Protein backbone atom coordinates (compact mmCIF):
# COMPACT_ATOMS: atom_id res chain seq x y z
CA UNK A 1 0.00 0.00 0.00
CA UNK A 2 1.27 3.50 -0.77
CA UNK A 3 1.14 6.55 1.45
CA UNK A 4 -1.53 8.23 -0.71
CA UNK A 5 -3.69 5.10 -0.34
CA UNK A 6 -3.32 5.25 3.46
CA UNK A 7 -4.27 8.94 3.40
CA UNK A 8 -7.35 8.11 1.33
CA UNK A 9 -8.39 5.45 3.85
CA UNK A 10 -7.93 7.97 6.66
CA UNK A 11 -10.09 10.47 4.77
CA UNK A 12 -12.80 7.86 4.20
CA UNK A 13 -12.77 6.91 7.89
CA UNK A 14 -13.10 10.60 8.78
CA UNK A 15 -16.08 10.96 6.49
CA UNK A 16 -17.75 7.92 8.03
CA UNK A 17 -17.31 9.53 11.46
CA UNK A 18 -18.35 13.02 10.34
CA UNK A 19 -14.84 14.38 10.89
CA UNK A 20 -12.58 16.68 8.88
CA UNK A 21 -9.55 14.73 7.53
CA UNK A 22 -7.40 17.72 8.48
CA UNK A 23 -7.93 16.71 12.13
CA UNK A 24 -5.79 13.56 11.69
CA UNK A 25 -2.02 13.47 11.20
CA UNK A 26 -0.21 10.49 9.74
CA UNK A 27 3.00 9.69 11.62
CA UNK A 28 5.09 7.44 9.39
CA UNK A 29 6.81 4.87 11.60
CA UNK A 30 10.24 4.21 10.08
CA UNK A 31 11.61 1.60 12.49
CA UNK A 32 13.92 -0.77 10.63
CA UNK A 33 13.64 1.17 7.36
CA UNK A 34 16.58 2.61 5.44
CA UNK A 35 16.96 6.27 4.60
CA UNK A 36 16.40 5.39 0.93
CA UNK A 37 13.14 3.59 1.74
CA UNK A 38 11.93 6.54 3.81
CA UNK A 39 12.65 8.98 1.00
CA UNK A 40 10.95 6.76 -1.59
CA UNK A 41 7.91 5.65 0.43
CA UNK A 42 7.23 8.72 2.59
CA UNK A 43 9.09 11.95 1.94
CA UNK A 44 8.50 11.98 -1.81
CA UNK A 45 4.86 12.71 -0.93
CA UNK A 46 5.52 15.57 1.48
CA UNK A 47 6.91 16.59 4.86
CA UNK A 48 5.25 13.97 7.05
CA UNK A 49 6.34 13.46 10.67
CA UNK A 50 8.54 10.41 11.13
CA UNK A 51 8.18 8.13 14.15
CA UNK A 52 10.93 5.96 15.60
CA UNK A 53 10.77 3.36 18.34
CA UNK A 54 14.44 3.45 19.32
CA UNK A 55 16.43 6.54 20.18
CA UNK A 56 19.73 5.34 18.70
CA UNK A 57 18.15 4.45 15.36
CA UNK A 58 16.44 7.82 15.25
CA UNK A 59 19.65 9.74 15.97
CA UNK A 60 21.42 8.09 13.03
CA UNK A 61 18.59 8.96 10.66
CA UNK A 62 18.34 12.51 11.96
CA UNK A 63 21.82 13.14 10.59
CA UNK A 64 20.61 12.29 7.08
CA UNK A 65 16.97 13.37 6.97
CA UNK A 66 15.39 16.71 7.78
CA UNK A 67 12.01 15.91 9.31
CA UNK A 68 9.73 16.36 12.30
CA UNK A 69 10.79 13.40 14.45
CA UNK A 70 8.51 11.70 16.98
CA UNK A 71 9.53 9.04 19.51
CA UNK A 72 6.76 6.45 19.51
CA UNK A 73 8.47 3.63 21.45
CA UNK A 74 9.49 3.31 25.10
CA UNK A 75 12.07 5.82 26.33
CA UNK A 76 14.61 4.54 28.83
CA UNK A 77 15.55 7.06 31.49
CA UNK A 78 19.24 6.81 30.60
CA UNK A 79 18.36 8.09 27.11
CA UNK A 80 16.11 10.90 28.34
CA UNK A 81 18.90 13.37 27.54
CA UNK A 82 18.10 12.94 23.84
CA UNK A 83 14.44 13.94 24.27
CA UNK A 84 14.98 17.55 23.05
CA UNK A 85 15.89 16.12 19.63
CA UNK A 86 12.27 14.99 19.18
CA UNK A 87 9.31 17.17 18.31
CA UNK A 88 7.02 14.96 20.41
CA UNK A 89 7.44 12.05 22.85
CA UNK A 90 4.41 9.76 22.51
CA UNK A 91 5.43 7.36 25.27
CA UNK A 92 5.71 9.05 28.66
CA UNK A 93 4.81 5.97 30.68
CA UNK A 94 5.86 6.62 34.30
CA UNK A 95 6.38 9.41 36.80
CA UNK A 96 10.05 8.44 37.10
CA UNK A 97 10.48 9.09 33.39
CA UNK A 98 8.54 12.35 33.73
CA UNK A 99 10.93 13.50 36.46
CA UNK A 100 13.92 12.58 34.29
CA UNK A 101 12.47 14.50 31.34
CA UNK A 102 11.70 17.50 33.55
CA UNK A 103 15.36 17.58 34.55
CA UNK A 104 16.47 17.36 30.93
CA UNK A 105 14.09 20.14 29.91
CA UNK A 106 15.26 22.36 32.76
CA UNK A 107 18.92 21.83 31.86
CA UNK A 108 18.31 22.51 28.17
CA UNK A 109 16.00 25.45 28.83
CA UNK A 110 13.19 23.94 26.76
CA UNK A 111 9.68 22.68 27.32
CA UNK A 112 9.32 19.11 26.07
CA UNK A 113 6.10 18.11 24.32
CA UNK A 114 4.75 14.77 25.59
CA UNK A 115 1.82 12.38 25.49
CA UNK A 116 0.98 10.14 28.44
CA UNK A 117 0.81 6.48 27.47
CA UNK A 118 -2.17 4.65 28.95
CA UNK A 119 -2.28 0.85 29.18
CA UNK A 120 -6.03 0.49 28.73
CA UNK A 121 -5.75 -3.20 27.90
CA UNK A 122 -4.03 -3.77 31.26
CA UNK A 123 -1.43 -5.97 29.55
CA UNK A 124 1.48 -6.67 31.94
CA UNK A 125 4.04 -6.75 29.13
CA UNK A 126 3.13 -3.26 27.94
CA UNK A 127 4.16 0.14 29.26
CA UNK A 128 1.92 2.95 30.41
CA UNK A 129 -0.27 4.22 33.22
CA UNK A 130 -3.33 2.24 34.21
CA UNK A 131 -6.57 4.13 33.76
CA UNK A 132 -7.06 4.64 37.49
CA UNK A 133 -3.53 6.03 37.81
CA UNK A 134 -4.03 8.63 35.13
CA UNK A 135 -5.69 11.46 37.12
CA UNK A 136 -2.90 11.67 39.70
CA UNK A 137 -0.15 11.12 37.12
CA UNK A 138 -1.52 13.82 34.84
CA UNK A 139 -1.83 16.27 37.73
CA UNK A 140 1.79 15.61 38.72
CA UNK A 141 3.14 15.99 35.21
CA UNK A 142 1.16 19.16 34.60
CA UNK A 143 2.98 20.68 37.59
CA UNK A 144 6.34 20.17 35.87
CA UNK A 145 7.21 23.46 34.15
CA UNK A 146 9.42 21.94 31.46
CA UNK A 147 6.86 19.40 30.23
CA UNK A 148 3.83 20.19 28.08
CA UNK A 149 1.20 17.44 28.05
CA UNK A 150 -0.62 17.55 24.73
CA UNK A 151 -2.60 14.34 24.96
CA UNK A 152 -2.73 10.60 25.44
CA UNK A 153 -1.42 7.53 23.60
CA UNK A 154 -2.36 3.88 23.74
CA UNK A 155 -1.44 0.55 22.13
CA UNK A 156 -4.46 -1.76 22.28
CA UNK A 157 -4.31 -5.54 22.61
CA UNK A 158 -4.12 -7.46 19.37
CA UNK A 159 -7.59 -8.62 18.49
CA UNK A 160 -10.74 -8.13 16.47
CA UNK A 161 -12.69 -4.91 16.12
CA UNK A 162 -14.84 -5.72 19.13
CA UNK A 163 -11.73 -5.79 21.34
CA UNK A 164 -9.77 -2.92 19.81
CA UNK A 165 -12.37 -0.28 19.03
CA UNK A 166 -13.61 0.11 22.66
CA UNK A 167 -10.00 0.81 23.74
CA UNK A 168 -9.78 3.66 21.23
CA UNK A 169 -13.14 5.00 22.36
CA UNK A 170 -12.02 4.99 25.99
CA UNK A 171 -8.85 6.88 25.18
CA UNK A 172 -10.84 9.57 23.39
CA UNK A 173 -13.22 9.87 26.33
CA UNK A 174 -10.30 10.20 28.73
CA UNK A 175 -8.69 12.87 26.58
CA UNK A 176 -11.98 14.77 26.53
CA UNK A 177 -12.36 14.40 30.29
CA UNK A 178 -8.96 15.97 30.94
CA UNK A 179 -9.14 18.61 28.21
CA UNK A 180 -6.35 17.11 26.12
CA UNK A 181 -6.50 17.69 22.36
CA UNK A 182 -4.21 14.92 21.05
CA UNK A 183 -5.01 11.18 20.86
CA UNK A 184 -2.22 9.04 19.38
CA UNK A 185 -3.77 5.69 18.57
CA UNK A 186 -4.03 3.29 15.67
CA UNK A 187 -1.35 1.43 13.70
CA UNK A 188 -1.24 -0.36 10.36
CA UNK A 189 -3.79 -3.01 11.33
CA UNK A 190 -6.37 -0.77 13.00
CA UNK A 191 -5.83 2.90 12.14
CA UNK A 192 -9.21 3.25 10.41
CA UNK A 193 -11.04 2.18 13.58
CA UNK A 194 -8.88 4.62 15.55
CA UNK A 195 -9.77 7.50 13.23
CA UNK A 196 -13.47 6.69 13.56
CA UNK A 197 -13.07 6.81 17.35
CA UNK A 198 -11.27 10.16 17.48
CA UNK A 199 -7.56 9.67 16.78
CA UNK A 200 -5.68 12.86 15.96
CA UNK A 201 -2.46 10.97 15.14
CA UNK A 202 -2.09 7.48 13.70
CA UNK A 203 1.27 5.68 13.82
CA UNK A 204 1.51 3.71 10.57
CA UNK A 205 4.60 1.79 9.49
CA UNK A 206 4.13 -1.58 7.82
CA UNK A 207 1.25 -0.44 5.60
CA UNK A 208 3.48 2.24 4.09
CA UNK A 209 6.47 0.04 3.35
CA UNK A 210 5.10 -3.42 2.50
CA UNK A 211 3.55 -3.70 -0.95
Amino acid sequence: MSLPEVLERIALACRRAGRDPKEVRLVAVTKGRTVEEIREKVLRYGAFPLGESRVQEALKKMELLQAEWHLVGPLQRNKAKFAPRFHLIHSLDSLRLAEALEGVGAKAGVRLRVLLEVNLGREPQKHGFLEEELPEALARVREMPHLQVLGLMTVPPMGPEGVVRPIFRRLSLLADRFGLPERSMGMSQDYEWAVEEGATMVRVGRALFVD
Side-chain angles (χ1 to χ4, degrees):
M1 191 180 298
S2 69
L3 187 145
E5 288 174 309
V6 171
L7 290 178
E8 178 60 21
R9 290 192 177 199
I10 290 171
L12 288 171
C14 283
R15 285 198 280 275
R16 289 194 296 270
R19 301 181 65 198
D20 184 341
K22 293 178 182 177
E23 296 175 4
V24 184
R25 297 189 77 196
L26 170 62
V27 179
V29 178
T30 54
K31 173 186 175 183
R33 306 297 173 181
T34 66
V35 167
E36 291 72 24
E37 285 180 292
I38 297 166
R39 286 182 175 135
E40 172 65 21
K41 298 287 190 176
V42 178
L43 297 180
R44 66 180 287 196
Y45 298 109
F48 292 90
L50 304 181
E52 276 290 336
S53 297
R54 298 186 180 94
V55 169
Q56 292 305 124
E57 186 173 349
L59 294 176
K60 292 176 183 176
K61 292 173 182 174
M62 285 176 183
E63 301 300 319
L64 300 169
L65 293 172
Q66 291 292 320
E68 178 183 301
W69 289 93
H70 293 211
L71 186 68
V72 299
L75 177 60
Q76 296 172 318
R77 290 194 306 280
N78 63 357
K79 291 187 171 64
K81 62 185 177 182
F82 297 112
R85 301 286 300 274
F86 294 91
H87 176 79
L88 179 63
I89 306 294
H90 288 234
S91 47
L92 200 170
D93 58 10
S94 71
L95 286 174
R96 291 182 69 190
L97 177 59
E99 290 162 359
L101 288 172
E102 169 63 19
V104 168
K107 186 175 181 179
V110 297
R111 197 173 185 209
L112 301 172
R113 296 154 56 94
V114 301
L115 307 178
L116 267 59
E117 182 172 358
V118 191
N119 183 357
L120 289 173
R122 309 185 78 86
E123 295 176 276
Q125 74 276 19
K126 286 185 179 173
H127 299 265
F129 297 98
L130 297 178
E131 184 172 353
E132 62 269 22
E133 297 171 337
L134 186 60
E136 180 182 354
L138 181 58
R140 293 272 302 277
V141 178
R142 279 175 159 169
E143 292 174 348
M144 299 181 185
H146 296 92
L147 298 184
Q148 181 183 10
V149 184
L150 299 182
L152 305 176
M153 184 271 263
T154 198
V155 180
M158 292 292 291
E161 182 176 359
V163 171
V164 174
R165 189 185 284 271
I167 296 288
F168 293 152
R169 188 175 302 132
R170 281 165 62 196
L171 194 81
S172 283
L173 290 171
L174 284 169
D176 286 343
R177 173 183 167 189
F178 294 109
L180 296 167
E182 300 288 358
R183 304 99 194 268
S184 171
M185 57 190 193
M187 297 185 287
S188 290
Q189 69 276 10
D190 53 25
Y191 65 91
E192 293 170 84
W193 300 336
V195 169
E196 291 174 355
E197 296 298 340
T200 61
M201 288 181 280
V202 293
R203 310 180 302 274
V204 179
R206 187 183 69 256
L208 301 176
F209 292 97
V210 177
D211 296 326

